[in-house]
């Protein structure tokens, strides 16, 4: 992996980062879905099989953060990807883009709340219909959005309590 870019700030309120990256991976581990019940390994309850391929990935990314007040801040970021595979016709389950947004609230150095949102672009999956590889059709997967809520209350210098809620948008693929 190699990543290069520029980062900076405008006072103490606004920070930014832009970057480009390139990665070369040998035998990157992808997986192919098994959609025929008679092909599922019931011992391990696997509904997929591993697929290895050599991959080159190019990424352009950026991130902006704003400190609105002493108790409120936000960060928004995103990536655009280009995937090149050696044997496979596409990089299974890998998006062309993703976005993230995080808003953090802090009160009295004791109560903290964070709302996180992520979005991922459309992806393509393999569905293995036979183990000999004769039929591996491409299946489109829709874009998705995920929301998480993280709450924390600091009782004292040593102890705190937390409640985290994940996948609040209840999106299932």
């Amino acid at each position: 992996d190699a990543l290069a870019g520029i980062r900076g700030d405008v006072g103490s309120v606004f920070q930014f980062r832009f970057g480009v990256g390139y990665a070369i991976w040998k035998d990157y581990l992808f997986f192919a879905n098994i959609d025929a019940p008679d092909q599922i390994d019931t011992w391990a309850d696997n509904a997929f099989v591993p697929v290895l391929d050599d991959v080159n990935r190019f990424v352009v990314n950026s991130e902006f953060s704003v400190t609105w007040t002493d108790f409120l801040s936000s960060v928004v970021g995103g990536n655009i990807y280009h995937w090149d595979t050696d044997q496979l016709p596409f990089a299974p389950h890998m998006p062309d883009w993703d976005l993230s947004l995080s808003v953090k609230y802090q009160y009295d150095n004791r109560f903290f709340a964070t709302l996180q949102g992520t979005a991922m672009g459309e992806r393509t999956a393999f569905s293995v219909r036979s183990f000999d590889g004769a039929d591996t059709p491409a299946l489109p997967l829709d874009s998705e959005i995920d929301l998480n809520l993280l709450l924390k209350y600091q009782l004292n210098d040593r102890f705190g309590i937390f409640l985290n809620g994940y996948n609040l948008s209840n999106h299932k693929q």
Side-chain angles (χ1 to χ4, degrees), residues 5 7 13 23-24 33 37 65 74 85 96-97 99 105-107 122 131 155 168:
R7 68 171 64 185
V13 175
I24 300 171
N33 298 341
S65 61
S74 60
T85 55
D96 290 333
W97 60 268
L99 296 171
Y105 174 79
Q106 172 183 332
Y107 179 75
E122 293 178 349
F131 283 108
L155 297 169
L168 299 178

mmCIF file of all heavy atoms in Angstrom, residues 5 7 13 23-24 33 37 65 74 85 96-97 99 105-107 122 131 155 168:
data_model
loop_
_atom_site.group_PDB
_atom_site.id
_atom_site.type_symbol
_atom_site.label_atom_id
_atom_site.label_comp_id
_atom_site.label_asym_id
_atom_site.label_seq_id
_atom_site.Cartn_x
_atom_site.Cartn_y
_atom_site.Cartn_z
ATOM 1 N N GLY A 5 -0.715 12.487 -0.046
ATOM 2 C CA GLY A 5 -1.738 13.507 -0.091
ATOM 3 C C GLY A 5 -1.303 14.785 0.575
ATOM 4 O O GLY A 5 -0.116 15.020 0.829
ATOM 5 N N ARG A 7 -2.691 17.593 3.726
ATOM 6 C CA ARG A 7 -3.621 17.858 4.813
ATOM 7 C C ARG A 7 -3.340 19.256 5.343
ATOM 8 O O ARG A 7 -2.240 19.789 5.183
ATOM 9 C CB ARG A 7 -3.510 16.827 5.922
ATOM 10 C CG ARG A 7 -2.190 16.880 6.689
ATOM 11 C CD ARG A 7 -2.165 16.017 7.905
ATOM 12 N NE ARG A 7 -2.298 14.630 7.538
ATOM 13 C CZ ARG A 7 -2.409 13.636 8.393
ATOM 14 N NH1 ARG A 7 -2.392 13.872 9.669
ATOM 15 N NH2 ARG A 7 -2.520 12.404 7.992
ATOM 16 N N VAL A 13 -10.893 25.524 13.406
ATOM 17 C CA VAL A 13 -12.274 25.161 13.127
ATOM 18 C C VAL A 13 -12.402 24.127 12.005
ATOM 19 O O VAL A 13 -13.197 23.204 12.087
ATOM 20 C CB VAL A 13 -13.094 26.423 12.775
ATOM 21 C CG1 VAL A 13 -14.504 26.072 12.351
ATOM 22 C CG2 VAL A 13 -13.123 27.373 13.948
ATOM 23 N N ALA A 23 -2.461 0.214 -4.272
ATOM 24 C CA ALA A 23 -2.116 -1.020 -3.563
ATOM 25 C C ALA A 23 -2.027 -2.164 -4.554
ATOM 26 O O ALA A 23 -2.806 -2.234 -5.517
ATOM 27 C CB ALA A 23 -3.160 -1.331 -2.500
ATOM 28 N N ILE A 24 -1.077 -3.050 -4.319
ATOM 29 C CA ILE A 24 -0.926 -4.274 -5.104
ATOM 30 C C ILE A 24 -0.989 -5.433 -4.110
ATOM 31 O O ILE A 24 -0.183 -5.502 -3.186
ATOM 32 C CB ILE A 24 0.423 -4.300 -5.851
ATOM 33 C CG1 ILE A 24 0.525 -3.107 -6.806
ATOM 34 C CG2 ILE A 24 0.588 -5.615 -6.594
ATOM 35 C CD1 ILE A 24 1.904 -2.939 -7.414
ATOM 36 N N ASN A 33 -20.768 -16.297 -3.342
ATOM 37 C CA ASN A 33 -21.967 -16.806 -2.668
ATOM 38 C C ASN A 33 -22.371 -18.148 -3.254
ATOM 39 O O ASN A 33 -22.228 -18.381 -4.446
ATOM 40 C CB ASN A 33 -23.131 -15.832 -2.843
ATOM 41 C CG ASN A 33 -22.859 -14.487 -2.232
ATOM 42 O OD1 ASN A 33 -21.981 -14.351 -1.396
ATOM 43 N ND2 ASN A 33 -23.591 -13.481 -2.666
ATOM 44 N N PRO A 37 -28.975 -24.780 -2.079
ATOM 45 C CA PRO A 37 -28.915 -25.390 -0.741
ATOM 46 C C PRO A 37 -28.097 -26.670 -0.680
ATOM 47 O O PRO A 37 -27.459 -26.952 0.327
ATOM 48 C CB PRO A 37 -30.380 -25.673 -0.407
ATOM 49 C CG PRO A 37 -31.163 -24.785 -1.296
ATOM 50 C CD PRO A 37 -30.337 -24.567 -2.531
ATOM 51 N N SER A 65 -13.230 18.006 8.361
ATOM 52 C CA SER A 65 -13.771 18.030 9.723
ATOM 53 C C SER A 65 -13.965 19.472 10.161
ATOM 54 O O SER A 65 -13.186 20.354 9.806
ATOM 55 C CB SER A 65 -12.860 17.281 10.693
ATOM 56 O OG SER A 65 -11.596 17.878 10.749
ATOM 57 N N SER A 74 -17.993 17.611 13.574
ATOM 58 C CA SER A 74 -18.419 16.660 12.548
ATOM 59 C C SER A 74 -17.270 16.363 11.598
ATOM 60 O O SER A 74 -16.353 17.171 11.438
ATOM 61 C CB SER A 74 -19.635 17.185 11.780
ATOM 62 O OG SER A 74 -19.318 18.406 11.141
ATOM 63 N N THR A 85 -8.469 -6.636 -11.394
ATOM 64 C CA THR A 85 -8.229 -8.012 -10.971
ATOM 65 C C THR A 85 -7.498 -8.758 -12.086
ATOM 66 O O THR A 85 -7.614 -8.410 -13.261
ATOM 67 C CB THR A 85 -9.552 -8.722 -10.650
ATOM 68 O OG1 THR A 85 -10.417 -8.614 -11.787
ATOM 69 C CG2 THR A 85 -10.228 -8.100 -9.443
ATOM 70 N N ASP A 96 -17.440 0.916 -5.745
ATOM 71 C CA ASP A 96 -16.696 1.936 -6.491
ATOM 72 C C ASP A 96 -16.523 3.199 -5.653
ATOM 73 O O ASP A 96 -15.698 4.040 -5.975
ATOM 74 C CB ASP A 96 -17.416 2.292 -7.793
ATOM 75 C CG ASP A 96 -17.353 1.147 -8.792
ATOM 76 O OD1 ASP A 96 -16.399 0.351 -8.735
ATOM 77 O OD2 ASP A 96 -18.267 1.042 -9.632
ATOM 78 N N TRP A 97 -17.343 3.350 -4.602
ATOM 79 C CA TRP A 97 -17.248 4.529 -3.736
ATOM 80 C C TRP A 97 -17.830 4.219 -2.363
ATOM 81 O O TRP A 97 -18.607 3.283 -2.207
ATOM 82 C CB TRP A 97 -17.971 5.736 -4.352
ATOM 83 C CG TRP A 97 -19.441 5.513 -4.586
ATOM 84 C CD1 TRP A 97 -20.014 5.043 -5.734
ATOM 85 C CD2 TRP A 97 -20.517 5.709 -3.659
ATOM 86 N NE1 TRP A 97 -21.385 4.937 -5.562
ATOM 87 C CE2 TRP A 97 -21.714 5.351 -4.309
ATOM 88 C CE3 TRP A 97 -20.582 6.153 -2.340
ATOM 89 C CZ2 TRP A 97 -22.954 5.431 -3.678
ATOM 90 C CZ3 TRP A 97 -21.825 6.230 -1.713
ATOM 91 C CH2 TRP A 97 -22.992 5.880 -2.391
ATOM 92 N N LEU A 99 -18.945 6.735 1.394
ATOM 93 C CA LEU A 99 -19.018 8.015 2.093
ATOM 94 C C LEU A 99 -19.247 7.764 3.575
ATOM 95 O O LEU A 99 -19.881 6.770 3.943
ATOM 96 C CB LEU A 99 -20.181 8.866 1.566
ATOM 97 C CG LEU A 99 -20.138 9.327 0.128
ATOM 98 C CD1 LEU A 99 -21.471 9.956 -0.260
ATOM 99 C CD2 LEU A 99 -19.017 10.329 -0.063
ATOM 100 N N TYR A 105 -21.149 14.925 19.814
ATOM 101 C CA TYR A 105 -21.614 15.891 20.801
ATOM 102 C C TYR A 105 -21.004 15.516 22.144
ATOM 103 O O TYR A 105 -20.976 14.344 22.516
ATOM 104 C CB TYR A 105 -23.149 15.867 20.884
ATOM 105 C CG TYR A 105 -23.707 16.733 21.971
ATOM 106 C CD1 TYR A 105 -23.820 18.107 21.799
ATOM 107 C CD2 TYR A 105 -24.120 16.181 23.179
ATOM 108 C CE1 TYR A 105 -24.331 18.911 22.799
ATOM 109 C CE2 TYR A 105 -24.632 16.974 24.185
ATOM 110 C CZ TYR A 105 -24.737 18.340 23.990
ATOM 111 O OH TYR A 105 -25.237 19.136 24.985
ATOM 112 N N GLN A 106 -20.511 16.510 22.859
ATOM 113 C CA GLN A 106 -19.901 16.276 24.167
ATOM 114 C C GLN A 106 -20.464 17.306 25.141
ATOM 115 O O GLN A 106 -20.517 18.500 24.841
ATOM 116 C CB GLN A 106 -18.389 16.437 24.064
ATOM 117 C CG GLN A 106 -17.673 16.398 25.380
ATOM 118 C CD GLN A 106 -16.167 16.631 25.190
ATOM 119 O OE1 GLN A 106 -15.608 16.327 24.158
ATOM 120 N NE2 GLN A 106 -15.550 17.179 26.211
ATOM 121 N N TYR A 107 -20.877 16.839 26.330
ATOM 122 C CA TYR A 107 -21.399 17.750 27.345
ATOM 123 C C TYR A 107 -20.636 17.544 28.648
ATOM 124 O O TYR A 107 -20.601 16.427 29.184
ATOM 125 C CB TYR A 107 -22.900 17.512 27.560
ATOM 126 C CG TYR A 107 -23.492 18.404 28.597
ATOM 127 C CD1 TYR A 107 -23.731 19.746 28.321
ATOM 128 C CD2 TYR A 107 -23.783 17.931 29.865
ATOM 129 C CE1 TYR A 107 -24.273 20.588 29.276
ATOM 130 C CE2 TYR A 107 -24.321 18.752 30.833
ATOM 131 C CZ TYR A 107 -24.559 20.086 30.532
ATOM 132 O OH TYR A 107 -25.078 20.916 31.475
ATOM 133 N N GLU A 122 -22.942 0.752 -5.205
ATOM 134 C CA GLU A 122 -23.333 -0.554 -5.714
ATOM 135 C C GLU A 122 -22.108 -1.451 -5.838
ATOM 136 O O GLU A 122 -21.004 -0.993 -6.090
ATOM 137 C CB GLU A 122 -24.006 -0.405 -7.076
ATOM 138 C CG GLU A 122 -25.324 0.291 -7.005
ATOM 139 C CD GLU A 122 -25.949 0.480 -8.373
ATOM 140 O OE1 GLU A 122 -25.266 0.254 -9.393
ATOM 141 O OE2 GLU A 122 -27.118 0.867 -8.420
ATOM 142 N N PHE A 131 -19.482 -26.188 -8.468
ATOM 143 C CA PHE A 131 -18.132 -26.122 -7.934
ATOM 144 C C PHE A 131 -17.058 -26.221 -9.005
ATOM 145 O O PHE A 131 -15.911 -25.938 -8.753
ATOM 146 C CB PHE A 131 -17.919 -27.208 -6.877
ATOM 147 C CG PHE A 131 -18.563 -26.858 -5.574
ATOM 148 C CD1 PHE A 131 -19.694 -27.520 -5.155
ATOM 149 C CD2 PHE A 131 -18.045 -25.843 -4.785
ATOM 150 C CE1 PHE A 131 -20.298 -27.181 -3.958
ATOM 151 C CE2 PHE A 131 -18.646 -25.508 -3.588
ATOM 152 C CZ PHE A 131 -19.778 -26.181 -3.174
ATOM 153 N N LEU A 155 -18.368 8.118 34.376
ATOM 154 C CA LEU A 155 -18.744 8.210 35.778
ATOM 155 C C LEU A 155 -17.666 8.924 36.596
ATOM 156 O O LEU A 155 -17.979 9.751 37.461
ATOM 157 C CB LEU A 155 -18.995 6.817 36.352
ATOM 158 C CG LEU A 155 -20.155 6.049 35.702
ATOM 159 C CD1 LEU A 155 -20.148 4.600 36.146
ATOM 160 C CD2 LEU A 155 -21.470 6.724 36.038
ATOM 161 N N LEU A 168 -28.772 0.888 12.712
ATOM 162 C CA LEU A 168 -30.088 1.415 13.084
ATOM 163 C C LEU A 168 -31.008 1.574 11.876
ATOM 164 O O LEU A 168 -32.226 1.607 12.027
ATOM 165 C CB LEU A 168 -29.930 2.753 13.811
ATOM 166 C CG LEU A 168 -29.132 2.683 15.118
ATOM 167 C CD1 LEU A 168 -29.003 4.065 15.720
ATOM 168 C CD2 LEU A 168 -29.768 1.719 16.100
#
